[in-house]
Amino acid sequence: MITYAALTATMIFWGLSFVATKVALESIPTFTLVFFRFSLAALIFLLIRQGRRWPSFTRKDHVKMVLLALFEPGLYFIFETIGLQHTSAPKTALIIATIPVVVLVLSALMLGERASGASITGIILSFGGIALLVVGDPQFGWSLKGSLLGDLLIGGAVVSASLYMIFARDLGRTYSSLDITFVQIVYGAVFFCLPFIWELPGLTGSAVTLRSSLAVIYLTVFATVGAFLCYNYALSQVPVSRAAVFVNGIPVVTAIGAWVLLEEKLTGIQAGGGALVLLAVFITNLPARTQT
């Protein structure tokens, strides 16, 4: 129950992060936002771990840790941010929804984990639910126009997120989620240091609004420290293919959050798609509940 509570919290934290990011970007540049988000999160972890040593990874596991941070948040945020500038949001949502499928394949190849029939069914249903969320958007259009470059970059984000889950699952068998998340966030802050320096000349501190500042606090405390800690813990407890399906619940939370907080429209088709995704998450994880 603790594991599924952690996965649910992650889904909520990351789902609402898109709403918070939209608010924060009103007055803060993209990479400056990400840098402050992970730098402040690293400071929080330093306070939490006060008096404790740096985690003692082996050389091999240290390489895995560097790769973990490189894939998420590093390359994932870069691919997604730049990709969205070249392709449409509906196509992005559909491409991102393939993460559980990629995870399913990689977990079998790299971790030797086999997916159950329920997991495969849940993945298919969740993809269908995401499709309904996209099609049900009042601003959705059937035009497939868009740059191939953007689609490929979003595909890179899918691969990056999938490899993050694989490495986190592997490291979670030996190390605590606290140690993994701490190092991941510190490396994430270092990774975005150069893009932040590049944006620094155009940054005006007085232009940052209170509304954006509060959004940064949410992104730091909940969407970074809380979400990564919860998800890394869950990845150490359940097969990665089950945890990955919760990623497809994120757009559902985002749609509800935007409807409530930003007064964006939520259609009946979107509500049905969201319900289908949640059903898919339940079906995918049903075997684990039955066994317990």
Side-chain angles (χ1 to χ4, degrees):
M1 292 302 297
I2 294 176
T3 300
Y4 289 106
L7 284 168
T8 301
T10 303
M11 183 173 66
I12 294 172
F13 292 156
W14 277 342
L16 293 178
S17 74
F18 288 95
V19 178
T21 298
K22 188 173 182 178
V23 173
L25 289 173
E26 291 174 355
S27 62
I28 303 174
T30 303
F31 290 115
T32 300
L33 170 62
V34 178
F35 173 73
F36 273 105
R37 172 179 170 178
F38 284 92
S39 296
L40 292 173
L43 290 176
I44 291 174
F45 264 101
L46 286 173
L47 292 174
I48 293 174
R49 296 178 51 85
Q50 192 172 12
R52 296 182 61 181
R53 289 184 173 184
W54 181 269
S56 55
F57 294 109
T58 64
R59 182 175 298 179
K60 182 178 179 181
D61 287 339
H62 191 73
V63 171
K64 292 180 181 178
M65 195 65 244
V66 171
L67 290 173
L68 172 70
L70 174 65
F71 290 127
E72 177 90 35
L75 292 176
Y76 176 83
F77 276 90
I78 290 177
F79 283 141
E80 185 181 63
T81 300
I82 300 177
L84 275 168
Q85 298 173 13
H86 295 279
T87 190
S88 66
K91 278 202 291 182
T92 297
L94 289 174
I95 295 172
I96 291 294
T98 63
I99 287 177
V101 179
V102 177
V103 166
L104 191 69
V105 175
L106 291 180
S107 63
L109 294 175
M110 300 176 67
L111 301 177
E113 293 183 354
R114 294 184 179 181
S116 64
S119 295
I120 296 173
T121 301
I123 289 171
I124 295 172
L125 285 176
S126 69
F127 188 82
I130 295 295
L132 288 176
L133 277 171
V134 171
V135 174
D137 190 328
Q139 298 180 347
F140 173 76
W142 287 104
S143 174
L144 295 178
K145 292 180 180 179
S147 171
L148 176 61
L149 173 62
D151 295 341
L152 291 175
L153 287 170
I154 299 300
V158 169
V159 174
S160 298
S162 301
L163 287 172
Y164 147 64
M165 294 178 194
I166 297 298
F167 281 112
R169 169 65 172 165
D170 187 33
L171 288 165
R173 294 169 173 173
T174 308
Y175 303 99
S176 72
S177 56
L178 182 63
D179 285 345
I180 294 170
T181 308
F182 168 60
V183 177
Q184 178 187 14
I185 287 176
V186 169
Y187 285 168
V190 172
F191 189 88
F192 285 105
C193 184
L194 286 178
F196 164 66
I197 293 174
W198 176 70
E199 283 186 341
L200 190 58
L203 183 64
T204 305
S206 59
V208 178
T209 64
L210 175 61
R211 176 181 162 94
S212 291
S213 299
L214 292 174
V216 171
I217 293 173
Y218 172 82
L219 289 170
T220 300
V221 177
F222 295 99
T224 304
V225 175
F228 278 107
L229 190 58
C230 287
Y231 202 63
N232 287 337
Y233 168 76
L235 285 169
S236 70
Q237 303 296 314
V238 297
V240 67
S241 58
R242 290 181 187 164
V245 177
F246 276 79
V247 171
N248 281 357
I250 292 173
V252 180
V253 178
T254 301
I256 296 173
W259 174 48
V260 174
L261 301 175
L262 301 180
E263 298 183 353
E264 294 185 2
K265 292 182 179 180
L266 183 66
T267 66
I269 295 177
Q270 287 182 300
L276 187 59
V277 171
L278 296 179
L279 175 63
V281 170
F282 174 77
I283 291 174
T284 302
N285 289 277
L286 187 59
R289 296 184 181 184
T290 302
Q291 290 169 9
T292 56

